[in-house]
Amino acid sequence: MTSPNTEPKAHSHGLGEIPFSKLATHGSFDVNDFPVPGGREEVWRFTPLRRLKGLHDGTAVADGTDKVDIDAPEGVTVEQVGRDDARLGTAGFPADRVTAQAYTSFEQATVITVAQSTALERPVVINREAQGGTRYDQFVIDVKPLAEAVVVLNQTGGGVRAGSVDVHVGEGARLTLVSVQDWDRDAVDVSQHNTQVDKDGTYKSIVITLGGDLVRLSPKVAYKGRGANAELHGLYFTGDGQHHEHRSLIDHNMSHTRSRVEYKGALSGKGAHGVWIGDVIIGEGTTGTDSYEHNRNLQLTDDTRVDSVPNLEIFTGEVEGAGHAAASGRLDDIHLFYLRSRGIPEDEARRLVIRGYFLELINRIPVEELREEIMAKVEQKLAAHE
């Protein structure tokens, strides 16, 4: 299945045509619609192409395997489908050459459906272990109207991976998707999460990125009806030589929709590089949009790098709220001094401050065992770089 590039619609407010959106990603399912990146393109300028192991130029050969185990409670259907399944590709276009290559190359997709009006008593847990080589994957999560679900995607192992997770949140439905990137140290992962949220639906994404050599994750949200709400939360702890890149896009294409984006990172070690790109579009003719995005980074050592770029485009004068902020810096000396003045050793004081920094975000995870596991892994990474 292919589709040509979709041209952006011109915006007009009765005062003459204004420029096309610079943030909108319209994309294509056809890899040939994307030129091979050279590294100077806006969408690729922060990504070290040489570390993609051929994902970006077509030289990567699909020869990898995954071990996938899905624990699904009653009310959930899990299917393996072929490329001709009509549900595939309906949540959004691939936004870059790598995800288009993944769509062109996958053989089977996993479709997880939560039945209408079903409130799951426990989470759907997808344990995906990459077992080397290169592999392209597609997942579809379809939460039918008035259903409520939590889906946890645990990703571990080594190799080179690219693909998409397509998410549909039905009318009045509620979904929390927790995606954990805890890959082996040499792994490469480029993925795109495409989400459509219907009328009065609520979608919460929680991204936890700890492992991998290079991880580039692009969550994208669009709306299908009024009253739809999306929250994107992210935590990344980037260590020696790791590249963690998160590129979110919220497209407020419908009136009376809401979004919140909050990503927090900590970086420690030589060559640790964190990238956050936060794009928000408030579309022409919409009213009552409420949007805010925020990125914070703690640079725990001198030899780290942070690129934090919030972008906001507004094509209407009828906005309820819109804003963004980004900040990067050191641990607060006042907090450390307060703890040390009460007899707490410096290393322990640092751990307590960083634990508090991440705690609010980790507490958003609605699975207690997973909250504890993530906090333990954060503390392990901190201890390894002290």
Side-chain angles (χ1 to χ4, degrees):
M1 178 168 59
T2 61
S3 175
N5 272 328
T6 303
E7 293 297 328
K9 178 182 177 183
H11 296 278
S12 174
H13 297 271
L15 298 175
E17 215 171 68
I18 64 175
F20 293 135
S21 169
K22 295 180 181 179
L23 304 181
T25 301
H26 299 271
S28 172
F29 292 111
D30 186 352
V31 66
N32 295 315
D33 287 335
F34 297 93
V36 175
R40 294 189 177 185
E41 303 85 353
E42 178 60 32
V43 69
W44 290 109
R45 68 186 178 101
F46 295 117
T47 309
L49 299 180
R50 60 182 175 80
R51 292 164 62 181
L52 289 176
K53 299 186 179 180
L55 287 177
H56 66 298
D57 60 12
T59 60
V61 177
D63 59 358
T65 58
D66 283 355
K67 180 181 178 182
V68 179
D69 178 70
I70 301 177
D71 179 16
E74 185 178 354
V76 178
T77 302
V78 179
E79 305 168 78
Q80 296 294 319
V81 303
R83 298 181 56 84
D84 58 348
D85 192 285
R87 292 169 291 185
L88 302 181
T90 56
F93 289 99
D96 57 53
R97 183 179 175 88
V98 174
T99 49
Q101 180 70 65
Y103 193 88
T104 302
S105 304
F106 81 92
E107 296 179 357
Q108 283 192 320
T110 302
V111 179
I112 299 169
T113 306
V114 181
Q116 182 169 338
S117 301
T118 300
L120 300 185
E121 295 182 356
R122 58 185 176 87
V124 179
V125 180
I126 308 166
N127 290 314
R128 176 192 183 195
E129 181 184 357
Q131 298 181 319
T134 298
R135 184 176 173 86
Y136 302 104
D137 290 287
Q138 302 288 316
F139 289 86
V140 177
I141 301 171
D142 188 3
V143 182
K144 296 299 185 181
L146 301 176
E148 297 184 16
V150 175
V151 177
V152 178
L153 175 58
N154 288 315
Q155 302 184 101
T156 60
V160 179
R161 296 295 179 268
S164 297
V165 179
D166 284 1
V167 179
H168 299 272
V169 180
E171 185 171 336
R174 302 176 67 88
L175 170 65
T176 298
L177 172 62
V178 184
S179 179
V180 182
Q181 289 66 238
D182 194 22
W183 302 107
D184 289 352
R185 185 59 183 81
D186 61 348
V188 174
D189 173 31
V190 179
S191 58
Q192 182 174 318
H193 292 183
N194 306 302
T195 303
Q196 297 272 349
V197 188
D198 213 331
K199 181 176 181 290
D200 295 327
T202 297
Y203 173 64
K204 181 183 292 185
S205 163
I206 304 174
V207 167
I208 309 293
T209 301
L210 301 172
D213 176 64
L214 183 152
V215 175
R216 175 181 156 121
L217 176 58
S218 302
K220 302 184 181 301
V221 176
Y223 300 90
K224 295 180 66 178
R226 294 186 173 211
N229 174 46
E231 297 183 11
L232 305 183
H233 304 282
L235 178 159
Y236 48 97
F237 199 136
T238 310
D240 290 334
Q242 288 183 298
H243 178 94
H244 290 161
E245 182 169 346
H246 301 86
R247 310 179 65 94
S248 64
L249 170 64
I250 305 287
D251 186 1
H252 284 279
N253 54 319
M254 300 288 295
S255 294
H256 299 286
T257 53
R258 177 184 180 273
S259 69
R260 292 290 185 271
V261 179
E262 180 185 24
Y263 274 66
K264 288 186 175 182
L267 299 93
S268 178
K270 184 177 181 179
H273 187 193
V275 178
W276 176 79
I277 310 295
D279 294 340
V280 174
I281 304 169
I282 300 179
E284 177 191 7
T286 60
T287 60
T289 296
D290 182 8
S291 176
Y292 189 78
E293 57 177 350
H294 186 203
N295 175 232
R296 293 179 61 194
N297 295 280
L298 278 180
Q299 293 178 267
L300 303 176
T301 58
D302 292 331
D303 40 12
T304 62
R305 174 183 170 187
V306 172
D307 291 290
S308 182
V309 186
N311 297 302
L312 175 62
E313 285 189 344
I314 303 175
F315 295 101
T316 178
E318 302 293 331
V319 176
E320 183 172 320
H324 57 67
S328 299
R330 298 288 187 179
L331 286 174
D332 193 325
D333 289 337
I334 295 177
H335 291 163
L336 291 175
F337 176 78
Y338 176 84
L339 293 171
R340 293 185 66 190
S341 69
R342 279 150 180 78
I344 298 174
E346 182 176 359
D347 289 349
E348 179 64 21
R350 283 166 55 85
R351 283 195 291 270
L352 288 172
V353 171
I354 294 171
R355 183 185 179 94
Y357 170 72
F358 281 137
L359 189 60
E360 180 181 1
L361 196 150
I362 290 175
N363 281 341
R364 296 182 184 276
I365 300 173
V367 183
E368 182 178 358
E369 307 86 65
L370 186 56
R371 289 197 300 269
E372 295 173 355
E373 181 181 339
I374 296 303
M375 182 58 78
K377 289 180 177 180
V378 167
E379 293 183 345
Q380 287 173 7
K381 290 204 70 168
L382 178 60
H385 289 89
E386 287 181 343

